[in-house]
Amino acid sequence: MNRLKKIIRFILIIFALGILVIWGVSIYIQQVTFHSIYENIETLPAKNTAIVLGASVHSDGKLSPILQDRVDTALELYQKGKVKSFLLSGDNRTDDYNEVSAMRNYLLDRCVPEANIFIDPAGLDTFDSMYRSKKIYEIPNAVVVTQNFHLPRTLFIAQNLGLNYIGFPASARQYKTEKGLIRREKLANLKAVFELLLDWTRRD
């Protein structure tokens, strides 16, 4: 019985430490990125490119509410002269699922010239989108548009890749899955740290 108690106590300690690490990393990422996030469009510095991160697309090609909010916000920045072009980064790993084409068509339908729209169909996750914006598309500075809960991790990755990016949150609304996404985001922060460590190892 004493052995069982020790095992349970050990498991509880490990669990508590895990929670502390997750929250600690989350707080740290928020602290080092908050100065790069702008809430007011009037005070947002003008940049050449708005990077819009992909999210789910319905089977009929319509943007999900989360993705539509991102694209609509980036479009508003474009219309107000805060950006001149778009990099749409998302998932197109299969023929029947294409986030970037759905975003592109949405902008074309709203009279954005095709020459101002660039697509990255291999932005499979946040790290890939930021990494490829530097290595493939060579974008030195940009405004990243995504939801408020997603911006800190995105900018943390960008900063540690040496990118001079700022963030602007997509128009706020309540999403059915928002609580789950926020919980997932805390775990994704650990993934971001791991991916950056791997990238630094490869550089060495």
Side-chain angles (χ1 to χ4, degrees):
M1 183 64 104
N2 287 335
R3 186 180 178 187
L4 179 60
K5 287 181 179 178
K6 288 179 180 178
I7 292 172
I8 293 172
R9 188 180 299 119
F10 177 76
I11 291 172
L12 290 174
I13 290 171
I14 294 298
F15 180 75
L17 287 174
I19 295 295
L20 285 174
V21 168
I22 290 170
W23 277 97
V25 169
S26 178
I27 290 169
Y28 174 75
I29 287 175
Q30 289 176 2
Q31 286 179 339
V32 299
T33 58
F34 81 95
H35 63 280
S36 299
I37 298 173
Y38 291 78
E39 301 279 349
N40 188 332
I41 196 169
E42 302 304 326
T43 60
L44 178 73
K47 300 289 184 180
N48 188 67
T49 307
I51 300 177
V52 186
L53 301 180
S56 59
V57 172
H58 298 307
S59 58
D60 59 1
K62 287 183 63 177
L63 309 184
S64 64
I66 286 177
L67 187 54
Q68 183 178 336
D69 285 349
R70 294 179 188 181
V71 181
D72 280 341
T73 300
L75 180 60
E76 183 181 4
L77 298 184
Y78 174 80
Q79 292 169 338
K80 293 198 172 182
K82 293 296 183 176
V83 298
K84 299 176 182 176
S85 61
F86 302 84
L87 175 62
L88 311 175
S89 183
D91 187 350
N92 180 209
R93 77 183 83 187
T94 62
D95 292 337
D96 59 352
Y97 184 77
N98 194 330
E99 293 174 359
V100 290
S101 286
M103 289 190 280
R104 177 177 171 273
N105 291 336
Y106 188 88
L107 290 174
L108 291 174
D109 288 344
R110 284 151 184 80
C111 302
V112 177
E114 188 171 1
N116 294 355
I117 304 173
F118 302 89
I119 61 172
D120 175 14
L124 304 183
D125 63 15
T126 305
F127 182 85
D128 286 342
S129 293
M130 294 295 97
Y131 184 86
R132 288 172 57 81
S133 73
K134 176 183 180 181
K135 295 293 185 180
I136 307 298
Y137 297 92
E138 299 181 339
I139 298 174
N141 62 79
V143 181
V144 182
V145 180
T146 185
Q147 272 69 27
N148 237 329
F149 57 79
H150 186 205
L151 270 175
R153 175 166 62 98
T154 305
L155 294 176
F156 176 73
I157 293 170
Q159 288 174 5
N160 284 279
L161 291 174
L163 293 164
N164 181 28
Y165 289 177
I166 58 177
F168 193 81
S171 301
R173 72 161 104 172
Q174 289 294 316
Y175 308 107
K176 292 180 180 178
T177 59
E178 185 167 351
K179 289 183 179 178
L181 289 170
I182 292 172
R183 286 194 294 269
R184 173 185 172 276
E185 195 61 28
K186 293 192 179 347
L187 292 174
N189 286 333
L190 297 181
K191 178 174 178 280
V193 171
F194 179 71
E195 288 170 323
L196 287 167
L197 288 172
L198 279 181
D199 182 59
W200 291 331
T201 303
R202 292 191 199 105
R203 292 185 215 173
D204 295 337

